[in-house]
Amino acid sequence: MADARFGQDAEIVFLGDLVDRGPDSFGVFQTLINGKTAGRNWTVIRGNHDQLFLDYIDGGDPTTPGGLSWLHERMGGRETLASYGAEAIVGRDRADIVSHIPQAHVDFLRNMPLTYEVDDLLFVHAGIRPGIPLADQDPEDLMWIRKEFHIDTRDHGPLIIHGHTPVKTPTHYGNRVNLD
């Protein structure tokens, strides 16, 4: 759609959560890698689900702030791993499961920035901690924050463009725009 309106050189920013949102996380990553390799002007921000995937790859036991495991049926980790050909998880060695994930996908995950700033816009997955300078933001807040950010009406400097919190239509709140 963006190509039809803006051309192949259109700058596009993806706000994260590339995994756990459907049956083909592998395909989503491969499409983005192929596009960037072809020179597309794409920036891909790391979301909390992307971080959980990376934590799993790195040998951790990724959980949400609410304590749900990334492999819990509500989180999508199993579907993400299945898209990489690791359908059966129970009883399998993690190293065997992770061996199905191409190194290019792991490198892509590791290199996804947490923020992207252009002109007077700051793109971030979840939001920022109000009152904290942008340079001092905690990565956890950038990927997970909700309430404290949503209720704050202060000017943050740049207009914050974020996802993470589902809305039916893009919503402008004066100091932030929620696109998820």
Side-chain angles (χ1 to χ4, degrees), residues 1-174:
M1 181 165 154
D3 285 349
R5 291 198 287 170
F6 304 108
Q8 293 249 345
D9 295 330
E11 181 174 19
I12 298 174
V13 179
F14 297 85
L15 294 175
D17 280 0
L18 306 175
V19 301
D20 307 341
R21 296 297 187 224
D24 195 13
S25 294
F26 174 94
V28 170
F29 268 98
Q30 196 59 54
T31 297
L32 292 169
I33 290 169
N34 292 346
K36 287 188 66 71
T37 300
R40 300 300 298 267
N41 189 10
W42 294 349
T43 300
V44 185
I45 303 295
R46 186 183 310 164
N48 58 319
H49 286 262
D50 309 315
Q51 184 64 50
L52 291 168
F53 184 29
L54 186 57
D55 291 346
Y56 180 85
I57 290 168
D58 288 342
D61 183 21
T63 57
T64 68
L68 281 181
S69 167
W70 181 63
L71 296 176
H72 186 279
E73 64 185 23
R74 288 183 28 212
M75 292 303 298
R78 292 174 182 263
E79 291 82 359
T80 294
L81 294 173
S83 79
Y84 283 90
E87 290 86 0
I89 294 171
V90 176
R92 287 187 62 190
D93 178 71
R94 183 191 304 245
D96 177 46
I97 294 170
V98 170
S99 74
H100 288 82
I101 303 166
Q103 188 61 46
H105 289 214
V106 176
D107 294 342
F108 188 78
L109 263 169
R110 287 193 199 295
N111 291 310
M112 291 167 65
L114 297 176
T115 64
Y116 174 65
E117 194 165 3
V118 60
D119 299 326
D120 60 346
L121 305 173
L122 178 72
F123 295 86
V124 62
H125 175 67
I128 64 167
R129 172 83 44 196
I132 304 294
L134 296 177
D136 297 331
Q137 292 288 321
D138 183 333
E140 290 292 312
D141 286 334
L142 299 172
M143 291 184 284
W144 287 97
I145 200 166
R146 276 206 174 102
K147 183 179 179 184
E148 301 91 334
F149 173 60
H150 292 180
I151 64 173
D152 193 279
T153 59
R154 288 180 275 186
D155 181 350
H156 301 301
L159 179 65
I160 310 297
I161 311 297
H162 69 97
H164 186 59
T165 301
V167 291
K168 291 184 185 206
T169 61
T171 308
H172 194 301
Y173 295 94

